[in-house]
């Protein structure tokens, strides 16, 4: 901007950007190309060759017929498992986190800082330190490997960052909002519902993106807490590629399944643009 | 009776408080407690002192896993910071197509480590992958047999991990660069200071808090790295690419060794605490200069 950069410097700059862009773009392109091939071509020909007769057959097989363990009905069922887990976890987390954020930001509660601190410290503890007791607790309640269990752990581990995002947003709102509501005789939940909630759309989108990508992309929690009947897509895709190598490897189907798993967060990323960037950076802003 | 709204606000926090106290803190204490018992498949309440820790330190696989945490962590964080900073500075030079480049650099962050691992395992497979491609170019003896080499398989984790997360570092550092006062550039033009010296001596120190933030975020990914290892290398060949996160899960749920796994989990927790002390020192150091 300041000094006029030389032509060579400019050229080097764009060369650097293009080479790195290729490094980032190529793996996904290769996955896509492989998914368009038939199984012989995917097995024998170089991954960089374009498919001879590209079609979406591998996607159909992955969706409806691919074998996970002994069951050969594709990953479509797991896709809907993931959808249900993600929708439930995200809506419960957002509701709880926004109420928390509102209570912590605007009501000057005694020990409010302590509650937030307890929540945030927990966010830095690796899951591995907590999973086994959680399994025992769910087993005691007869809920081991149920939909309830997987949704509760997702809410539990999502709450710190989501609460922080809502709190940081509400701290910036004028306190007069509450005072006005109080004068009119409104209670906590009325002020939340009719004054605060309608102003929260933007921050809810950011928090929602974090929650959806986090829950959808999770593997460990799904593996341990969801069980076979609620197995999410990430878990089945990971084991799908393991089983396919036992017989004739069908790399094209594996790659199609991989791509189908990647698609929802990828579309969310492309559609939401700036919100996504705010989402991933908001974790970085100091609370 | 009508409750005061402020009391309702406190009560609204109760579900979260219960969830956190039980979910986090009771669980953590429970795990630490289990690490002092000889529990196998099911937890038993018999005191075993530091037996499990002694056994852990005699376990070769744990040493490999714990060392890998630092090898993988150091390389992953280092490359993410260098590439992320390079890209952030490059994009800060008012380049054309900035949002296009940013979209490409950042999209892997939206993907799971499962997808990342599957994609890179496919790219690195020796028969039709990158190795075959380079040989096809005429380098017949070229070998990129990273996945089957116990010494080098860890680098596949680094490559795939950096591919996944460098964009995140870029976007955070870029936001930091944008927030820096543009007047310093006018000042540097008056004093005829070259741009690169400005970046090295002025901008980078100003970015220090943002760099520390990146360190924390990337560090958390390292400690949690389980998915990528499972999919890309399975911890192998042998257990050469094992990491503590995988060691713990395996010993809890496959090897039925709850006491040993709890001891390993407790050590992982202590490691995180130690790293946090380190980070707060780094923060203060940045604030002091």
């Amino acid at each position: 901007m300041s000094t006029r950069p030389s032509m060579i410097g400019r050229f080097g700059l764009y060369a650097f950007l293009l080479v790195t862009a290729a490094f980032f773009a190529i793996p996904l392109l290769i996955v896509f190309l492989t998914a368009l091939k038939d199984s012989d071509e995917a097995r024998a020909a170089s991954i960089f060759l374009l498919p001879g007769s590209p079609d979406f057959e591998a996607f159909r097989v992955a969706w409806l017929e691919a074998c996970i363990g002994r069951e050969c009905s594709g990953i479509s069922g797991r896709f809907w498992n993931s959808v249900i887990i993600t929708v439930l976890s995200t809506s419960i987390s957002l509701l709880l986190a926004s109420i928390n954020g509102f209570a912590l930001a605007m009501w000057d509660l005694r020990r409010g800082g302590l509650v937030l601190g307890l929540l945030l410290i927990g966010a830095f503890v690796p899951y591995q330190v907590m999973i086994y007791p959680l399994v025992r607790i769910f087993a005691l309640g007869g809920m081991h490997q149920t939909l309830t269990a997987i949704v509760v752990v997702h809410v539990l581990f999502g709450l710190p960052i989501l609460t922080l995002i809502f709190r940081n947003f509400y701290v910036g709102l004028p306190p007069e909002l509450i005072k006005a509501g109080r004068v009119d005789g409104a209670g906590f939940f009325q002020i939340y519902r009719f004054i605060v909630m309608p102003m929260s759309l933007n921050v809810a989108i950011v928090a929602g993106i974090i929650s959806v990508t986090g829950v959808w992309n999770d593997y460990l929690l799904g593996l341990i807490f969801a069980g076979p009947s609620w197995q999410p897509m990430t878990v089945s895709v990971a084991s799908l590629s393991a089983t396919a190598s036992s017989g004739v490897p069908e790399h094209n189907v594996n790659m199609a399944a991989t791509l189908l798993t990647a698609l929802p967060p990828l579309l969310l990323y492309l559609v939401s643009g700036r919100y996504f960037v705010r989402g991933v950076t908001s974790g970085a802003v100091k609370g | 009776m009508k409750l005061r709204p402020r009391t309702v606000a406190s009560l609204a926090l109760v579900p979260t408080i219960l969830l956190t106290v039980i979910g986090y803190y009771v669980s953590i204490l429970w795990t630490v407690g289990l690490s002092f018992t000889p529990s196998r498949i099911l937890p038993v309440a018999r005191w075993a002192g530091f037996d499990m820790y002694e056994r852990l330190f005699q376990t070769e696989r744990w040493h490999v896993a714990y060392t890998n945490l630092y090898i993988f962590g150091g390389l992953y964080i280092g490359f993410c910071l260098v590439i992320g900073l390079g890209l952030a500075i490059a994009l800060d030079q008012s380049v054309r197509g900035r949002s296009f480049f940013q979209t490409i650099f950042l999209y892997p962050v939206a993907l799971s480590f499962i997808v990342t691992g599957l994609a890179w395992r496919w790219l690195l497979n020796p028969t039709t992958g990158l190795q075959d491609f380079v040989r096809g170019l005429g380098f017949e003896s070229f070998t990129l047999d990273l996945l089957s080499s116990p010494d080098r398989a860890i680098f596949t984790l680094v490559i795939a991990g950096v591919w996944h997360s460098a964009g995140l570092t870029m976007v955070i550092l870029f936001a930091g660069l944008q927030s820096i006062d543009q007047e310093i550039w006018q000042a540097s033009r008056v004093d005829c200071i070259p741009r690169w010296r400005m970046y090295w001596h002025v901008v980078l120190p100003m970015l220090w808090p943002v760099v520390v933030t990146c360190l924390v975020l990337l560090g958390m990914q390292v400690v949690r790295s389980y998915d990528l290892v499972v999919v890309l290398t399975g911890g192998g060949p042998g257990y050469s690419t094992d990491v503590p996160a995988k060691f713990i899960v395996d010993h809890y749920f496959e090897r039925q060794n709850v006491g040993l796994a709890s001891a390993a989990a407790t050590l992982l927790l202590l490691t995180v605490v130690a790293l946090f002390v380190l980070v707060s020192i780094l923060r203060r150091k940045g604030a002091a200069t």
Side-chain angles (χ1 to χ4, degrees):
Chain A
M1 283 167 268
S2 48
T3 50
R4 192 174 161 72
S6 65
M7 284 293 282
I8 299 170
R10 223 50 198 162
F11 180 78
L13 180 68
Y14 280 102
F16 171 65
L17 284 172
L18 285 172
V19 169
T20 4
F23 168 72
F24 282 104
I26 282 173
L28 197 69
L29 288 177
I30 295 294
V31 169
F32 185 57
L33 280 185
T34 308
L36 293 179
K37 295 175 180 176
D38 62 43
S39 124
D40 291 333
E41 206 182 359
R43 193 167 48 249
S46 166
I47 54 171
F48 292 93
L49 288 178
L50 293 174
S53 53
D55 58 32
F56 288 95
E57 173 65 11
F59 287 93
R60 195 189 62 78
V61 175
W63 186 251
L64 294 172
E65 291 168 10
C67 300
I68 302 151
R70 257 176 250 150
E71 187 199 326
C72 295
S73 56
I75 52 165
S76 48
R78 271 49 178 238
F79 175 84
W80 295 114
N81 285 352
S82 278
V83 169
I84 292 169
I85 293 170
T86 307
V87 168
L88 282 178
S89 308
T90 299
S91 33
I92 296 172
S93 312
L94 287 192
L95 187 66
L96 214 52
S98 62
I99 292 175
N100 288 342
F102 175 51
L104 289 170
M106 305 194 81
W107 293 86
D108 196 27
L109 299 176
R110 256 187 309 154
R111 306 212 174 80
L114 178 73
V115 174
L116 189 65
L118 280 179
L119 204 55
L120 290 181
I121 290 172
F124 288 107
V125 178
Y127 296 160
Q128 276 77 6
V129 184
M130 301 179 268
I131 41 174
Y132 187 74
L134 287 173
V135 166
R136 305 299 321 166
I137 292 172
F138 284 122
L140 280 178
M143 292 184 296
H144 184 46
Q145 302 200 325
T146 57
L147 182 61
T148 315
I150 182 68
V151 170
V152 168
V153 284
H154 275 307
V155 171
L156 174 69
F157 290 126
L159 268 184
I161 179 71
L162 300 178
T163 300
L164 184 68
I165 288 172
F166 278 105
R167 180 202 157 269
N168 287 355
F169 174 73
Y170 293 144
V171 158
L173 293 182
E176 285 76 29
L177 279 179
I178 295 207
K179 286 194 190 119
R182 293 286 296 277
V183 170
D184 293 344
F188 175 81
F189 282 106
Q190 279 166 315
I191 299 176
Y192 170 75
R193 170 70 188 82
F194 294 108
I195 302 178
V196 172
M197 221 187 191
M199 305 178 71
S200 311
L201 183 65
N202 278 338
V203 69
I205 292 176
V206 172
I209 289 170
I210 295 184
S211 178
V212 168
T213 43
V215 175
W216 186 276
N217 286 341
D218 155 73
Y219 173 76
L220 175 64
L221 300 178
L223 181 71
I224 291 167
F225 293 97
S229 45
W230 287 99
Q231 190 180 66
M233 208 176 183
T234 40
V235 177
S236 59
V237 167
S239 63
L240 177 73
S241 29
T243 45
S245 57
S246 59
V248 184
E250 290 193 302
H251 300 301
N252 55 339
V253 176
N254 288 338
M255 289 301 121
T258 307
L259 213 54
L260 289 171
T261 319
L263 216 50
L266 210 53
L267 286 178
L268 187 65
Y269 167 68
L270 292 175
V271 169
S272 63
R274 272 181 311 117
Y275 285 108
F276 186 92
V277 174
R278 265 175 64 192
V280 291
T281 47
S282 63
V285 186
K286 257 205 281 184
Chain B
M1 194 192 89
K2 201 160 181 283
L3 290 167
R4 285 168 53 233
R6 209 157 149 245
T7 320
V8 181
S10 299
L11 290 176
L13 287 174
V14 169
T16 305
I17 296 173
L18 281 178
L19 205 59
T20 355
V21 168
I22 298 174
Y24 293 162
Y25 296 98
V26 171
S27 297
I28 293 169
L29 289 178
W30 195 338
T31 300
V32 174
L34 282 173
S35 73
F36 295 106
T37 67
S39 306
R40 299 286 305 184
I41 298 182
L42 288 174
V44 293
R46 201 168 64 246
W47 179 255
F50 285 91
D51 282 7
M52 287 300 135
Y53 292 91
E54 276 173 34
R55 280 226 357 238
L56 192 62
F57 288 128
Q58 288 159 9
T59 308
E60 170 70 16
R61 185 179 157 187
W62 169 254
H63 286 288
V64 172
Y66 197 73
T67 316
N68 281 342
L69 186 68
Y70 292 94
I71 299 176
F72 169 68
L75 291 171
Y76 167 77
I77 293 177
F79 277 111
C80 278
L81 282 179
V82 170
I83 295 176
L85 189 64
L87 291 175
I89 291 178
L91 288 184
D92 198 29
Q93 311 302 312
S94 54
V95 290
R96 245 179 251 176
R98 194 178 83 193
S99 66
F100 166 77
F101 280 119
Q102 185 170 310
T103 305
I104 291 186
F105 298 147
L106 193 61
Y107 87 86
V109 176
L111 304 179
S112 60
F113 277 111
I114 298 298
V115 170
T116 305
L118 290 171
W120 277 96
R121 197 174 71 188
W122 181 233
L123 271 166
L124 293 168
N125 88 77
T127 44
T128 60
L130 267 175
Q131 173 182 301
D132 173 69
F133 176 70
V134 179
R135 282 188 183 171
L137 291 177
F139 304 93
E140 296 290 336
S141 60
F142 177 82
T143 44
L144 192 80
D145 214 1
L146 293 175
L147 280 171
S148 56
S149 153
D151 298 327
R152 281 170 291 161
I154 187 118
F155 298 121
T156 62
L157 297 176
V158 175
I159 297 170
V162 170
W163 179 81
H164 178 271
S165 311
L168 178 69
T169 328
M170 173 210 66
V171 90
I172 294 172
L173 291 171
F174 184 70
L177 282 177
Q178 298 267 288
S179 69
I180 284 176
D181 194 349
Q182 294 299 316
E183 278 178 22
I184 64 159
W185 294 112
Q186 276 154 24
S188 80
R189 196 164 47 181
V190 172
D191 295 339
C192 289
I193 303 169
R195 249 183 123 74
W196 68 267
R197 288 198 59 182
M198 283 296 290
Y199 273 110
W200 185 248
H201 291 288
V202 181
V203 175
L204 212 53
M206 286 169 90
L207 271 186
W208 183 248
V210 188
V211 174
V212 174
T213 305
C214 289
L215 274 178
V216 174
L217 284 181
L218 295 171
M220 291 311 298
Q221 301 274 32
V222 172
V223 175
R224 283 182 180 163
S225 53
Y226 172 79
D227 316 8
L228 186 63
V229 180
V230 168
V231 178
L232 190 50
T233 67
Y239 46 71
S240 58
T241 54
D242 203 11
V243 286
K246 184 170 187 303
F247 181 96
I248 294 166
V249 173
D250 284 359
H251 281 75
Y252 268 135
F253 299 106
E254 277 170 29
R255 296 175 152 244
Q256 322 285 13
N257 207 331
V258 169
L260 196 70
S262 299
T266 307
L267 286 182
L268 190 63
L269 180 63
L270 287 177
T271 310
V272 173
V273 173
L275 290 177
F276 257 79
V277 173
L278 191 74
V279 165
S280 57
I281 292 172
L282 284 176
R283 269 226 170 99
R284 210 162 302 152
K285 210 173 173 182
T289 50

